């Protein structure tokens, strides 16, 4: 079967949840037996979000193949359980870079290189690339930004051309907002009408409208929108605010989004979607019998999206443990010797988050010392693991001034040091140790117990690593290496076995947690917090 394409655009306002709608549709089609993948086109000039400050763009999500991508790819994976790759996230920057490289190579020799057709051709090539693999029945491509933005124009134009070429093989879903005016008690459709007009001015006619709303839409309102926007009334779908994003696939099922899309694509409905696992998960999520408080220590805690995958991993692993995880957000810059006890004493567990640079480091070290000396379950991820090593070096091994060379280049005890392979790296973009690597676990360790297997593969995003020169010293004093990269010997996991649960991982387990496969380490950490 040749691949069909679904495009998702947005209007009226940003942050309406295009990514969640696209992920929910993917889930529903998958539950009907279709092979689906999600793609995100981001209209910014950065080649990828790897160099972006999390305050700007939230978390940078990393795929198995080492692509640094938009956090929506995390939703795609969490909803469908299917790994994404570099091909699933394309930015304006990457499109221009490819075109300019071709121009320099002489591929367009003699021609003036222009937005139409050269940039739009490159966008179309990248959309069709996923379909060309022959692995997918449907590719769902989400166009970042809001219709009418200058930035997204070439993407919209490429979609217009592609829809013309694909004919029946594509569907366009446009997501808008229906605001509620409390003064008059009315839901207003005018912004939706304007947004569809803007799309029409750019040559695109949506097939389906998904209206984000705080209140249920009645039939009259749906008919009115249908009439003004050239769509059928069944194709006007509401997306009412819900308490968890994981509810959205079921709401979209109620609205028959999957059926309308398949009908328009000329694909059979197959069987009813099999959502048994999903419904079970939702039930557990809402009917928990226990609660824990876990301190999340980081320097971007004002913006929860900066730790998106960690938050979601807690939701998945909490549900499977019949437990609600209450995250206590702790700003590492605000943790001091004086207030540490007060801020940390009521926690069931402490997670120290990934990060870069020295801001907030002391707060992280204080939280780790508290966890270690009070036997509170501790989970350190990437920088969080590195900080656990430094804390142990300073306070247990008494290596005064022990540090990471990232924070103190001239430390007398570089217990965390730049990886050999990083010494000659000068460019910042895409040059870290990125993507999935093998790791061998030590039998009998907490990690081994959690995974229940000896060999695992996890995703990385860092430049520094545990300095194996100090390994024996650490092990003699009680901090042991329990996960090693079998190819390079790099230390991937450290533990303090005599404590209840003290685990630091150099990789990012949070990227691989999904609704139907919560991450083993998050499950085990919550179990330890509950015991
Ligand atoms: N800054 C650290 C490094 O580059 C940790 C990175 C991270 O937490 N992702 O090694």
């Amino acid at each position: 079967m040749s691949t069909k394409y679904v495009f998702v655009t947005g209007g009226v306002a940003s942050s309406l949840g295009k990514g969640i709608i696209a992920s929910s549709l993917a889930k529903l089609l998958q539950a009907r037996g279709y092979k689906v993948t999600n793609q995100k086109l981001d209209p910014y000039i950065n080649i990828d979000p790897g160099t972006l400050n999390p305050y700007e763009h939230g978390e940078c999500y990393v795929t198995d193949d080492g692509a640094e991508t938009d956090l929506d790819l995390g939703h795609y994976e969490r909803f469908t359980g299917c790994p994404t790759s570099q091909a699933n996230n394309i930015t304006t920057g990457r499109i221009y870079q490819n075109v300019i490289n071709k121009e320099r190579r002489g591929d367009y020799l003699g021609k003036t290189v222009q937005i139409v057709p050269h940039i739009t051709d490159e966008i179309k090539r990248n959309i069709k690339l996923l379909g060309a693999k022959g692995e997918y029945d449907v590719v769902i491509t989400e166009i970042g930004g809001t219709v009418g933005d200058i930035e997204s124009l070439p993407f919209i134009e490429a979609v217009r051309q592609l829809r013309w070429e694909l004919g029946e093989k594509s569907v366009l879903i446009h997501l808008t907002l229906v605001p509620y005016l409390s003064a008059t008690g009315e839901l207003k459709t005018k912004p939706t009408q304007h947004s569809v007009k803007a799309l029409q001015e750019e040559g695109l006619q949506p097939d389906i409208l998904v209206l984000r709303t705080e209140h249920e839409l009645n039939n009259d309102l749906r008919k009115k929108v249908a009439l003004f926007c050239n769509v059928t009334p069944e194709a006007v779908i509401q997306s009412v605010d819900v308490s968890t994003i994981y509810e959205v696939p079921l709401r979209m099922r109620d609205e028959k989004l999957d059926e309308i899309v398949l009908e328009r694509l000329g694909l059979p409905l197959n069987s009813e979607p099999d959502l048994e696992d999903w419904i079970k998960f939702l039930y557990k999520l809402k009917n928990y019998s226990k609660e824990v408080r876990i301190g999340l220590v980081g320097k971007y805690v004002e913006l929860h999206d900066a730790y998106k995958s960690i938050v979601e991993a807690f939701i998945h692993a909490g549900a499977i443990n019949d437990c609600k995880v209450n995250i206590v957000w702790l700003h590492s810059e605000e943790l001091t010797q004086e207030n540490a006890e007060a801020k940390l004493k009521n926690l069931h567990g402490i997670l120290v988050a990934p990060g870069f640079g020295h801001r907030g480091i002391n707060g992280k070290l204080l939280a780790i010392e508290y966890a270690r000396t009070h036997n509170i379950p501790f989970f350190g991820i990437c920088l969080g693991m590195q900080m656990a090593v430094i804390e142990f070096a300073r306070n247990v091994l008494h290596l005064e001034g022990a540090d990471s060379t990232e924070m103190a280049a001239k430390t007398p005890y570089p217990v965390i040091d730049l990886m050999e392979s990083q010494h000659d790296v000068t460019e910042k973009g895409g040059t870290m140790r990125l993507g999935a690597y093998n790791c061998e676990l030590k039998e009998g360790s907490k990690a081994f117990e959690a995974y229940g297997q000896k060999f695992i593969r996890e995703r990385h995003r860092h430049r520094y690593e545990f300095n194996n020169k100090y390994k024996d010293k650490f092990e003699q004093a009680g901090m042991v290496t329990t996960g090693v990269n079998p190819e390079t010997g790099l230390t991937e996991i450290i533990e303090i076995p005599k404590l209840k649960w003290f685990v630091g991982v150099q990789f990012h387990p949070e990227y691989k947690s999904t609704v139907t496969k919560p991450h083993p380490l998050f499950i085990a950490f919550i179990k330890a917090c509950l015991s």
Side-chain angles (χ1 to χ4, degrees):
M1 193 181 82
S2 68
T3 306
K4 313 260 180 171
Y5 294 83
V6 176
F7 301 104
V8 182
T9 56
V12 181
S14 57
S15 306
L16 292 182
K18 286 197 297 282
I20 302 297
I21 295 294
S23 304
S24 299
L25 175 63
K27 177 72 211 169
L28 291 175
L29 298 185
Q30 188 190 47
R32 285 182 183 269
Y34 285 101
K35 289 198 216 68
V36 190
T37 192
N38 287 88
Q39 182 183 44
K40 173 95 190 268
L41 305 182
D42 274 312
Y44 50 73
I45 312 283
N46 304 64
I47 301 291
D48 60 42
T51 53
L52 283 174
N53 185 326
Y55 285 127
E56 293 265 322
H57 207 66
E59 168 189 276
C60 171
Y61 184 80
V62 179
T63 56
D64 276 338
D65 66 345
E68 297 179 281
T69 71
D70 185 75
L71 55 71
D72 269 334
L73 271 78
H75 290 308
Y76 305 158
E77 289 204 15
R78 287 187 283 273
F79 276 57
T80 63
C82 299
T84 53
S85 69
Q86 180 64 74
N88 296 73
N89 190 198
I90 306 295
T91 66
T92 294
R94 192 174 292 278
I95 296 289
Y96 272 79
Q97 189 182 49
N98 291 349
V99 169
I100 290 167
N101 287 344
K102 282 185 198 169
E103 187 275 334
R104 291 289 82 182
R105 267 204 319 263
D107 291 7
Y108 308 113
L109 220 49
K111 287 267 175 255
T112 308
V113 181
Q114 295 178 296
I115 292 179
V116 183
H118 302 99
I119 294 295
T120 46
D121 278 354
E122 181 61 17
I123 296 172
K124 287 194 286 181
R125 190 183 70 80
N126 275 280
I127 296 174
K128 288 193 286 189
L129 217 53
L130 284 168
K133 284 182 162 186
E135 287 171 24
Y136 305 110
D137 303 317
V138 183
V139 175
I140 303 173
T141 297
E142 174 192 345
I143 320 293
T146 311
V147 163
D149 291 350
I150 294 175
E151 276 89 353
S152 55
L153 268 177
F155 288 114
I156 298 286
E157 168 60 14
V159 172
R160 187 194 67 76
Q161 295 176 18
L162 205 48
R163 292 207 75 198
W164 179 251
E165 289 166 29
L166 292 165
E168 308 274 272
K169 280 167 52 178
S170 83
V171 159
L172 174 63
I173 302 175
H174 187 56
L175 179 66
T176 71
L177 174 72
V178 176
Y180 177 73
L181 295 190
S182 51
T184 51
E186 277 178 309
L187 286 162
K188 305 305 276 182
T189 65
K190 196 68 85 189
T192 297
Q193 297 175 39
H194 280 299
S195 172
V196 171
K197 276 219 176 75
L199 204 53
Q200 287 167 339
E201 273 168 24
E202 291 169 13
L204 279 177
Q205 169 61 47
D207 301 295
I208 300 170
L209 293 174
V210 176
L211 310 185
R212 182 75 192 268
T213 170
E214 283 173 42
H215 301 278
E216 299 271 333
L217 308 181
N218 63 30
N219 277 343
D220 286 346
L221 189 140
R222 290 186 201 228
K223 274 193 204 142
K224 182 174 166 191
V225 171
L227 182 70
F228 277 110
C229 301
N230 290 352
V231 298
T232 58
E234 323 78 78
V236 180
I237 281 178
Q238 66 175 7
S239 173
V240 183
D241 292 356
V242 279
S243 58
T244 155
I245 53 168
Y246 297 113
E247 180 111 29
V248 180
L250 302 184
R251 298 289 77 83
M252 290 303 108
R253 174 73 205 102
D254 294 343
E255 292 284 308
K256 300 191 169 48
L257 175 64
D258 51 337
E259 286 183 37
I260 303 170
V261 167
L262 290 172
E263 239 165 58
R264 300 290 158 97
L265 289 174
L267 292 173
L269 297 185
N270 293 344
S271 52
E272 279 296 293
D274 176 6
L275 293 165
E276 208 184 306
D277 284 359
W278 197 272
I279 292 168
K280 230 187 251 164
F281 159 76
L282 257 186
Y283 180 83
K284 284 191 146 233
L285 186 63
K286 291 181 175 175
N287 297 280
Y288 48 87
S289 55
K290 298 160 260 183
E291 293 196 42
V292 284
R293 269 186 315 280
I294 295 181
L296 195 156
V297 186
K299 63 175 171 180
Y300 303 112
V301 294
E302 311 89 318
L303 183 74
H304 297 180
D305 267 4
Y307 304 106
K308 192 78 196 158
S309 294
I310 293 178
V311 174
E312 301 305 318
F314 273 135
I315 294 175
H316 309 151
I320 213 166
N321 276 306
D322 292 314
C323 171
K324 178 172 191 222
V325 178
N326 297 298
I327 295 179
V328 179
W329 297 92
L330 294 166
H331 200 305
S332 49
E333 280 183 304
E334 289 163 12
L335 263 180
T336 61
Q337 201 84 52
E338 293 69 46
N339 66 22
E341 166 90 24
K343 289 199 177 195
L344 304 170
K345 69 171 190 255
N346 289 322
L347 299 173
H348 300 106
I350 294 175
L351 182 143
V352 176
F356 295 83
H358 68 270
R359 185 166 73 87
I361 285 307
N362 286 338
K364 292 190 172 177
L365 291 170
L366 281 170
I368 295 166
E369 183 179 2
Y370 192 87
R372 183 178 58 77
T373 53
H374 292 76
N375 203 5
I376 296 176
F378 164 79
F379 196 6
I381 298 183
C382 209
L383 183 68
M385 172 264 199
Q386 298 177 353
M387 289 299 121
V389 167
I390 293 168
E391 193 279 326
F392 196 86
R394 290 185 189 173
N395 298 335
V396 179
L397 299 177
H398 304 295
L399 302 176
E400 210 179 308
D403 217 320
S404 162
T405 48
E406 179 181 5
M407 323 300 164
K410 297 211 161 65
T411 167
Y413 303 108
V415 289
I416 302 292
D417 201 3
L418 197 62
M419 267 178 275
E420 197 54 44
S421 56
Q422 287 284 327
H423 281 290
D424 301 324
V425 171
T426 49
E427 292 204 357
K428 290 268 187 281
T431 55
M432 282 187 252
R433 180 187 182 205
L434 290 164
Y437 286 89
N438 294 325
C439 174
E440 183 175 349
L441 304 180
K442 187 170 162 183
E443 277 176 54
S445 64
K446 297 280 193 312
F448 182 82
E449 209 177 285
Y451 284 96
Q453 63 191 67
K454 207 166 161 54
F455 292 96
I456 57 159
R457 237 175 120 69
E458 292 283 2
R459 300 179 192 170
H460 291 250
R461 184 173 186 249
H462 60 109
R463 294 184 202 280
Y464 296 82
E465 55 157 334
F466 178 76
N467 186 343
N468 277 338
K469 277 188 220 140
Y470 291 91
K471 192 162 162 179
D472 289 346
K473 251 196 171 65
F474 274 80
E475 300 225 323
Q476 280 152 21
M479 179 177 271
V480 299
T481 294
T482 62
V484 174
N485 178 312
E487 284 91 32
T488 58
L490 291 181
T491 290
E492 310 285 37
I493 310 179
I494 54 94
E495 296 183 20
I496 302 181
K498 81 164 203 286
L499 295 179
K500 194 154 132 193
W501 207 89
F502 191 103
V503 178
V505 294
Q506 185 56 80
F507 48 80
H508 290 263
E510 70 275 21
Y511 295 143
K512 284 196 26 179
S513 184
T514 71
V515 164
T516 50
K517 271 205 190 129
H519 196 281
L521 288 176
F522 278 86
I523 299 176
F525 176 48
I526 291 172
K527 269 208 180 90
C529 296
L530 281 166
S531 67

